[in-house]
Amino acid sequence: MINSNLCYLRLWFASLKVPADSRGSLNLTKLSLREVDITDEDLHQFLSECNHLREVDITDCRMLTNLRVPGHLNQLKSLLVAICPLLREIKLSCGLTALDYRGPFIPLQLAIPSQTTIVSISLLTFHSALGYIFSDLPSTLTNLETLTLKSKQVEVCTLQFLSSSSSFFRTTHRCGLICISYVHSDYF
């Protein structure tokens, strides 16, 4: 198993299998998994043993289908999840401050109430960014200050969407900055 004095673990091009009898509290504060073969259960068990995590980067982990971040990770401030092609859901039970997600549109469940103040989402499939804001973005983002949303779909909107009657803007009235970007695609 991993040395309990280790604070930063960066794995690239690896396979990680957590032993079933694994017990103990790792002192990791930063975890980076890039192109790591790890199952949903092994990642959840591994995260459950890391009580001091502050930053997590999960990139191109091709076996993950459901990412569940345990609630006891109350020191976790930053989570990056990028290009995990089988990922179908993210469930965060902790008080995360910043979330950066890059991938296809998937359901996102945040802890209630959410402490998340910065959200950056890059939708890598054609999906309505404005539709996502008004219908799919969790209403638990009551402390949201900055939202950056990138989409491959060209959108037309009117100021009617930005009215105070919108449930998203009513519940996140403290949001100071919203950035919506169009990403050009050569597929047409």
Side-chain angles (χ1 to χ4, degrees), residues 24-139:
S25 175
L26 298 177
N27 289 317
L28 290 177
T29 57
K30 191 171 182 179
L31 174 65
S32 178
L33 302 176
R34 294 191 173 224
E35 298 188 48
V36 172
D37 290 335
I38 187 168
T39 65
D40 299 343
E41 295 77 21
D42 282 336
L43 180 58
H44 185 72
Q45 183 177 347
F46 188 78
L47 291 175
S48 296
E49 295 178 8
C50 300
N51 296 324
H52 305 288
L53 277 175
R54 296 184 56 79
E55 294 178 42
V56 175
D57 171 354
I58 300 171
T59 300
D60 206 15
C61 292
R62 297 183 175 269
M63 294 176 64
L64 288 181
T65 59
N66 293 294
L67 175 59
R68 296 170 298 151
V69 179
H72 74 276
L73 295 179
N74 55 6
Q75 294 182 40
L76 186 61
K77 301 300 177 203
S78 174
L79 174 64
L80 166 65
V81 180
I83 314 167
C84 297
L86 298 179
L87 192 61
R88 298 293 174 253
E89 179 182 47
I90 297 176
K91 184 174 183 179
L92 306 173
S93 300
C94 60
L96 184 69
T97 303
L99 172 64
D100 186 350
Y101 171 72
R102 302 168 196 170
F105 170 75
I106 61 170
L108 174 64
Q109 295 179 26
L110 298 174
I112 299 174
S114 172
Q115 300 303 313
T116 307
T117 57
I118 300 169
V119 174
S120 177
I121 299 175
S122 296
L123 296 174
L124 301 180
T125 56
F126 287 95
H127 188 84
S128 171
L130 290 175
Y132 182 78
I133 287 175
F134 292 105
S135 63
D136 299 316
L137 194 65
S139 61

Side-chain angles (χ1 to χ4, degrees), residues 156-168:
V156 177
C157 72
T158 65
L159 291 177
Q160 180 180 7
F161 283 113
L162 302 177
S163 71
S164 61
S165 64
S166 164
S167 62
F168 172 76

Side-chain angles (χ1 to χ4, degrees), residues 175-186:
C175 184
L177 177 64
I178 296 178
C179 302
I180 300 176
S181 300
Y182 164 68
V183 178
H184 177 72
S185 173
D186 293 328

